[in-house]
Amino acid sequence: MGRKEMKKRKRKKGRWWKIVLLIVVLLLIGGGVYAFTIFNNVKQTVNSKLHENVPSIDTEITDKKVDNKEPINILLLGVDERENDQGRSDTMIVMTLDPANNQMQLVSIPRDTKVKIAGDGRVTRINHAYAYGGSDMSVKTVENFLDIHIDYYVTMNMEGLAQLVNAVDGITVNNDMAFTQDGFQFPKGQLHLSGEEALAYVRMRKEDPKGDLGRNHRQRQVIQGVIDKAAGLNMINQIDEVMNVLGNNMKTNMEFGDMRRLAMNYSSARKNISTYQMSGNPITSSGMYLIEMPQSEIQKTHDLIVNFGS
């Protein structure tokens, strides 16, 4: 599906975005955040630091879907924030949660996808929507592009991954091959990783004979490692630090009550995860590299999302 060509053009750190976003969302809908609901200070952190509404999302539609436990769509944005700049969304994923069938779907939209930016009119890369108009313009652009309804959005700064791993006092993984990455030695066997080590662990690909498959396996290990720690009893002692990390690196239109409802009614969706990567035709326009999506691919993706769970 042209995945290798698209990935070559991404900055290396862009490959980590899915890990950060998945960890955060699994915390939101899993046992971690459900356990957080007993802490009064968590509610204050969520509503004062994490929460940020966007006009483009119709909350009445979302509330009805959540009340009826219908599938919902969450736009995940991995944001490359820059000094004195709005930044760009290095990763855009539409995540659909279907609690009735205990399943979750992740649809990745390449950052270089050629689209018309909603509310702006320029035809350019889809990740420019965030640079032009933040989360609100990103949501509206994705909605228009795929003809879907977005219920929630989550933006996450990449720096949050290492901080999150450190906040839970590191994670444990079982490494199936010895390798070196970014100055860190990773012997074979069970390893306890700090945040910086976890970043290096998931970056390694060239030394692995399995290539991307091996790297994807290590990504899943890190995701599971954080979730396991977050769901553990020790999380009670680490809740303040975890929420501080999220407060400094994350924005969402979810309020504390929304998170609690998702934790209670949608946590089963993480039992079965399927993924899809949109694929198009690489082109160059006015010196800019773009990926032009055929209408058939756009329609296929639309159908995957709107029919998920039916």
Side-chain angles (χ1 to χ4, degrees):
M1 296 188 294
R3 188 178 299 178
K4 289 184 179 179
E5 290 184 9
M6 288 183 276
K7 285 190 175 181
K8 285 180 181 178
R9 304 192 67 91
K10 294 183 179 181
R11 287 186 290 276
K12 287 183 178 179
K13 69 177 180 179
R15 295 172 180 173
W16 307 335
W17 284 121
K18 290 183 181 179
I19 309 165
V20 181
L21 294 168
L22 276 175
I23 287 173
V24 170
V25 172
L26 289 174
L27 283 171
L28 294 180
I29 68 171
V33 163
Y34 186 49
F36 295 173
T37 60
I38 65 174
F39 295 89
N40 291 329
N41 62 322
V42 174
K43 181 176 181 179
Q44 182 178 355
T45 300
V46 170
N47 291 341
S48 64
K49 297 186 70 175
L50 275 66
H51 179 255
E52 187 175 275
N53 270 331
V54 294
S56 58
I57 292 181
D58 190 329
T59 56
E60 289 188 8
I61 293 177
T62 296
D63 287 341
K64 289 179 181 178
K65 291 166 71 174
V66 173
D67 288 341
N68 295 327
K69 299 181 183 179
E70 299 174 8
I72 59 171
N73 299 318
I74 303 176
L75 179 62
L76 310 178
L77 301 169
V79 178
D80 176 21
E81 294 183 351
R82 308 168 187 182
E83 188 175 355
N84 301 319
D85 187 11
Q86 172 78 8
R88 288 166 176 78
S89 52
D90 267 3
T91 290
M92 304 183 82
I93 300 172
V94 177
M95 181 179 72
T96 305
L97 303 177
D98 172 27
N101 297 296
N102 301 329
Q103 60 181 346
M104 172 194 304
Q105 177 178 258
L106 303 167
V107 174
S108 298
I109 306 172
R111 52 171 283 180
D112 296 323
T113 299
K114 178 183 177 182
V115 299
K116 183 177 181 180
I117 305 297
D120 178 86
R122 278 176 278 190
V123 177
T124 183
R125 295 171 175 164
I126 196 168
N127 73 326
H128 287 179
Y130 189 86
Y132 298 160
S135 300
D136 186 54
M137 191 169 284
S138 295
V139 167
K140 194 61 180 176
T141 298
V142 171
E143 287 186 326
N144 289 355
F145 175 53
L146 294 176
D147 189 22
I148 60 173
H149 177 260
I150 297 296
D151 297 291
Y152 298 108
Y153 81 90
V154 175
T155 65
M156 188 70 185
N157 185 348
M158 186 56 221
E159 296 300 320
L161 176 57
Q163 295 175 25
L164 197 55
V165 172
N166 286 333
V168 297
D169 290 338
I171 60 172
T172 299
V173 299
N174 189 22
N175 184 26
D176 57 11
M177 64 169 288
F179 64 90
T180 301
Q181 179 71 36
D182 296 342
F184 293 105
Q185 299 285 337
F186 298 99
K188 187 176 180 179
Q190 191 175 83
L191 305 175
H192 185 78
L193 306 179
S194 67
E196 292 72 20
E197 289 170 334
L199 283 177
Y201 186 75
V202 300
R203 283 190 62 187
M204 197 282 284
R205 177 176 62 91
K206 292 183 178 179
E207 292 184 39
D208 195 327
K210 297 179 182 178
D212 283 338
L213 291 177
R215 184 178 62 195
N216 291 341
H217 172 67
R218 284 184 290 279
Q219 291 176 353
R220 289 192 296 270
Q221 285 183 307
V222 170
I223 292 170
Q224 192 61 51
V226 175
I227 298 303
D228 289 345
K229 279 301 246 346
L233 294 177
N234 289 336
M235 197 62 197
I236 293 175
N237 300 321
Q238 297 154 326
I239 184 65
D240 287 337
E241 188 172 354
V242 169
M243 293 310 298
N244 184 56
V245 170
L246 296 182
N248 291 331
N249 293 283
M250 172 182 160
K251 290 293 181 183
T252 179
N253 63 320
M254 296 182 200
E255 294 185 347
F256 182 77
D258 297 315
M259 293 183 183
R260 185 169 185 171
R261 285 197 298 170
L262 293 186
M264 290 188 293
N265 298 329
Y266 284 78
S267 61
S268 64
R270 62 191 176 125
K271 293 181 179 179
N272 299 289
I273 303 176
S274 60
T275 63
Y276 183 73
Q277 171 79 44
M278 290 191 74
S279 178
N281 305 312
I283 63 171
T284 301
S285 177
S286 301
M288 179 183 294
Y289 175 85
L290 298 166
I291 296 174
E292 193 168 54
M293 294 295 174
Q295 186 57 42
S296 59
E297 178 70 2
I298 297 173
Q299 185 63 47
K300 177 182 178 181
T301 306
H302 164 86
D303 293 342
L304 279 172
I305 294 171
V306 300
N307 296 329
F308 192 66
S310 61

